[in-house]
Amino acid sequence: MADTEPVINKGLEGIYFAESSICKVDGQAGKLYYRGYSIEELCGNSDFSEVSYLLLNDKLPNGNELEGFRQQLADERYLPKSVVDFIKENSMRMHPMDTLRSAVSMLPAYDTEAYDNSPGSNMRKSVKLISKSASIAATIGRVRSGGDYVMPDQSMGHVESFLYMLNGRKPDPKTVKILDVMFIVHAEHSSNASTFGVIVAGSTLADIYAATTAGIAVLKGPLHGGADEAALEMMYNIGDPDNTEKYIEDALAGKQKIMGFGHRVYKTYDPRARIVKGYLEDLQTNGSGELKNLSQIALRAEKLMIDKLGASKGIWPNIDFFAGPVYVSLGIQHEIFTPIFAASRMSGWCAHMLEYWKNNRLLRPLEKYTGQVDLKYVRIEDRK
Amino acid sequence: MADTEPVINKGLEGIYFAESSICKVDGQAGKLYYRGYSIEELCGNSDFSEVSYLLLNDKLPNGNELEGFRQQLADERYLPKSVVDFIKENSMRMHPMDTLRSAVSMLPAYDTEAYDNSPGSNMRKSVKLISKSASIAATIGRVRSGGDYVMPDQSMGHVESFLYMLNGRKPDPKTVKILDVMFIVHAEHSSNASTFGVIVAGSTLADIYAATTAGIAVLKGPLHGGADEAALEMMYNIGDPDNTEKYIEDALAGKQKIMGFGHRVYKTYDPRARIVKGYLEDLQTNGSGELKNLSQIALRAEKLMIDKLGASKGIWPNIDFFAGPVYVSLGIQHEIFTPIFAASRMSGWCAHMLEYWKNNRLLRPLEKYTGQVDLKYVRIEDRK
């Protein structure tokens, strides 16, 4: 087989590797479903804890189940002292995603059932990972801003606790609500690169800590998790709303990639982007100073890009384009955007791993060899 | 496209995702080439340092180049104090592969050019990763045996240094030579699951630390890096050479998987297994006690398995079957087998990443959605 001419599926685009009942991304219609519920339905009615339960368990919880799940999240919220010490010692020395990856990687040292790979244990570890990854992300942001570890308050909700551990003060309900929606829209997106990376790792029967650590590694890349920060940076470079159109036109003329536009799957408007854009429309009207400017820049840039590339080239805004200014409006520093993405997507990663292990198959595709064979070893004296 | 019936390529078996000139695995002929040189040619003439240079640079080094490369490896051998402290504090609390993964993950904190993604910097970081991953693996073994970190000796060769840091004493040349061959045969094997995981991570333009950390996560799984330890465990369970045939026959009758046999690509004898088997044949004749027993068990089990499954089912021994007893003969504890695999494969991982980035494409395959859509959110009071 290797000696006929194989078809090379660059980027594995269009290749299916498994079945899944977790998430449907309908890139033509611009629809997104988690376990059958549209993203609009969930953002309008649910919260991140409930959505995490839904993703992991394939059903909405009843009252008792939801209460138990929230309690488990709250119980797991604290961080082992060694992990806190590691963050304090290293988080100024490396990228927050590197700190997050390393801190999650060391969690099995503090889990007595780390190597129990039964489904029940993996479900418990999933809750632990969802809870602790948020605490780690918050603590990294906290320490990088000069603060100390904030002991979690078990009476708070998941996203409320994240903000409390990040800022050291109880957040207002409106901030919690908006950030909760950001967590929901980032919780899952079928087999994108990081989720695929999680499954590649898990497919060797490596455990869920190894698999999700791999996911954080994958998510770091600017073509994936880092796109929102890059899009925001562009908006800051534009600076003045009246500079928007010229900046974008120059960038397009110079063949620059505009981060936050275009998507491997969506060939129309990303439904998550529409939800998040709503907050910017509000800021454009009611925000002040930097926030008003930033939202105007984002909305004017979006309009121009759609006029130029939307219908004609199928390049539409995706969630990464609008996420940055919304985080800024919530007082969240840029470098924590991707860790928040990771802490949100932890739910999807764990859900996919639990599902894939029910019918596991080692992922091992092929490369076409283009080199030589049977070269003779040359003595070092005879080499050029 | 998503609404027609897609073909699902389970395990991505037979699917090509890229071209590569690094490694040819000819599974029909039982041949393995690194950069065009057969594995026999390299094991017979070269050493791991030179093979690493070859994998990274696509040519054998001349005298000056090899000397410079060895010097770089030696210069990078020390571990930052924080990494040593981390290993001391955590390595008794978690699996050595978890400690290795976490320790490699934190290396960017101690690399001033960690976030320079130029090819030159990535080449330097590759050498750093090859060097330090071996030091980390050795230190994990050392600490788990009750010893303290051994300061590396820059005058030693790479594998010699590994053994020195593992055992605290200068190894004999024969042990170094055999372990060097083990490093060579583990250095590269095309796009197997861990290398593929590295490329998935790197394809988002995450950096080489993120990518190789993902590789270590993938390698942990018993279907991949852990197979040699599992095969060895079976040999210990067999215990007495005369028990071999009955044990294997019972296991086959009970439909148990015999670790170390069968391979996704090799449908004949794994050429690496043949090289490693040579050491066991020597031990069978010249070894004493446990080693003589272990090698007899391995060779008798292999003979029976080939008679039963070789030609008829295409299930042949792979390298994992023979590696364990050879490591034991070199005095290496079981739990360090997979970390040694990782430290060897680091060369292949980095070579693949450097190559893939020249023509990068985000890896993002698809899952076929089998769930529902447009479910209506039900109020929690109304759920069962």
Side-chain angles (χ1 to χ4, degrees), chain A residues 224-269:
Chain A
H224 191 359
D228 48 9
E229 207 180 329
L232 181 68
E233 196 179 323
M234 185 190 77
M235 295 173 202
Y236 279 116
N237 286 340
I238 292 174
D240 184 323
D242 288 336
N243 196 24
T244 306
E245 287 75 11
K246 179 167 180 350
Y247 186 101
I248 298 284
E249 278 169 4
D250 288 354
L252 290 176
K255 308 266 181 213
Q256 281 179 47
K257 180 163 169 54
I258 310 285
M259 299 306 279
F261 282 86
H263 195 275
R264 180 72 69 87
V265 179
Y266 289 118
K267 299 306 170 199
T268 182
Y269 213 103

Side-chain angles (χ1 to χ4, degrees), chain A residues 160-349:
Chain A
E160 184 184 15
S161 166
F162 171 84
L163 283 162
Y164 177 64
M165 292 180 78
L166 177 66
N167 296 318
R169 57 176 189 277
K170 204 171 152 55
D172 69 89
K174 188 179 168 201
T175 299
V176 174
K177 174 63 193 163
I178 295 175
L179 187 59
D180 197 293
V181 168
M182 298 303 284
F183 267 71
I184 294 176
V185 295
H186 283 99
E188 167 55 22
H189 212 238
S190 74
S191 58
N192 64 354
S194 59
T195 301
F196 182 58
V198 168
I199 298 173
V200 168
S203 82
T204 68
L205 301 183
D207 56 68
I208 201 159
Y209 288 110
T212 53
T213 299
I216 299 170
V218 182
L219 189 66
K220 187 188 176 186
L223 295 189
H224 191 359
D228 48 9
E229 207 180 329
L232 181 68
E233 196 179 323
M234 185 190 77
M235 295 173 202
Y236 279 116
N237 286 340
I238 292 174
D240 184 323
D242 288 336
N243 196 24
T244 306
E245 287 75 11
K246 179 167 180 350
Y247 186 101
I248 298 284
E249 278 169 4
D250 288 354
L252 290 176
K255 308 266 181 213
Q256 281 179 47
K257 180 163 169 54
I258 310 285
M259 299 306 279
F261 282 86
H263 195 275
R264 180 72 69 87
V265 179
Y266 289 118
K267 299 306 170 199
T268 182
Y269 213 103
D270 177 343
R272 304 167 301 172
R274 185 168 285 117
I275 292 168
V276 176
K277 182 184 170 185
Y279 298 117
L280 291 193
E281 288 166 338
D282 183 46
L283 281 174
Q284 191 181 28
T285 312
N286 302 316
S288 60
E290 180 199 351
L291 288 176
K292 195 181 187 90
N293 269 355
L294 213 49
S295 51
Q296 282 184 8
I297 289 168
L299 293 165
R300 283 169 72 162
E302 181 225 10
K303 182 171 185 309
L304 183 67
M305 284 289 289
I306 291 179
D307 286 349
K308 295 226 170 233
L309 302 174
S312 63
K313 301 232 171 162
I315 294 177
W316 296 86
N318 61 53
I319 186 173
D320 298 323
F321 191 67
F322 295 122
V326 173
Y327 287 133
V328 171
S329 78
L330 303 178
I332 292 170
Q333 59 265 53
H334 309 182
E335 57 193 30
I336 303 301
F337 296 175
T338 317
I340 289 177
F341 187 166
S344 311
R345 186 59 53 88
M346 191 58 82
S347 298
W349 290 337

Side-chain angles (χ1 to χ4, degrees), chain B residues 3-225:
Chain B
D3 294 310
T4 61
E5 276 305 307
V7 176
I8 298 184
N9 303 277
K10 285 199 175 179
L12 293 173
E13 194 162 340
I15 298 291
Y16 288 80
F17 71 97
E19 295 186 335
S20 174
S21 67
I22 297 173
C23 178
K24 181 177 173 72
V25 182
D26 184 338
Q28 303 301 317
K31 295 286 286 177
L32 171 63
Y33 301 92
Y34 295 174
R35 297 291 193 183
Y37 296 93
S38 74
I39 192 69
E40 295 83 6
E41 193 86 353
L42 292 172
C43 287
N45 295 292
S46 188
D47 71 7
F48 176 73
S49 301
E50 186 177 76
V51 167
S52 296
Y53 184 99
L54 171 68
L55 287 168
L56 293 174
N57 295 281
D58 198 13
K59 72 186 252 307
L60 286 171
N62 65 29
N64 283 339
E65 288 162 341
L66 184 58
E67 194 186 332
F69 189 76
R70 286 192 206 284
Q71 189 61 49
Q72 278 180 282
L73 283 173
D75 289 347
E76 289 293 349
R77 202 163 273 163
Y78 71 93
L79 295 179
K81 181 174 179 304
S82 288
V83 174
V84 174
D85 289 346
F86 169 77
I87 295 170
K88 285 188 194 170
E89 188 176 338
N90 290 283
S91 70
M92 295 306 285
R93 307 178 62 109
M94 59 181 168
H95 189 286
M97 285 299 283
D98 293 352
T99 313
L100 176 68
R101 182 184 69 227
S102 306
V104 168
S105 177
M106 67 181 67
L107 288 178
Y110 303 93
D111 181 354
T112 52
E113 62 173 340
Y115 306 124
D116 174 354
N117 285 326
S118 66
S121 178
N122 282 328
M123 182 64 82
R124 284 191 294 278
K125 281 179 281 207
S126 298
V127 180
K128 194 183 291 252
L129 279 159
I130 294 166
S131 179
K132 287 201 190 324
S133 60
S135 298
I136 293 169
T139 303
I140 294 168
R142 177 83 180 148
V143 168
R144 284 179 69 104
S145 306
D148 203 348
Y149 173 61
V150 177
M151 279 290 291
D153 177 340
Q154 288 202 317
S155 72
M156 291 185 182
H158 182 74
V159 173
E160 185 184 16
S161 166
F162 171 83
L163 284 162
Y164 176 64
M165 293 180 78
L166 178 64
N167 296 318
R169 55 175 191 278
K170 203 171 153 56
D172 67 88
K174 189 179 167 198
T175 298
V176 174
K177 174 62 193 163
I178 295 175
L179 187 60
D180 197 294
V181 168
M182 298 302 285
F183 267 72
I184 294 176
V185 295
H186 283 99
E188 167 55 20
H189 211 238
S190 73
S191 57
N192 64 356
S194 60
T195 301
F196 181 58
V198 169
I199 298 174
V200 168
S203 82
T204 67
L205 302 183
D207 57 68
I208 201 159
Y209 288 111
T212 53
T213 299
I216 299 170
V218 183
L219 189 65
K220 188 188 177 188
L223 295 188
H224 190 359

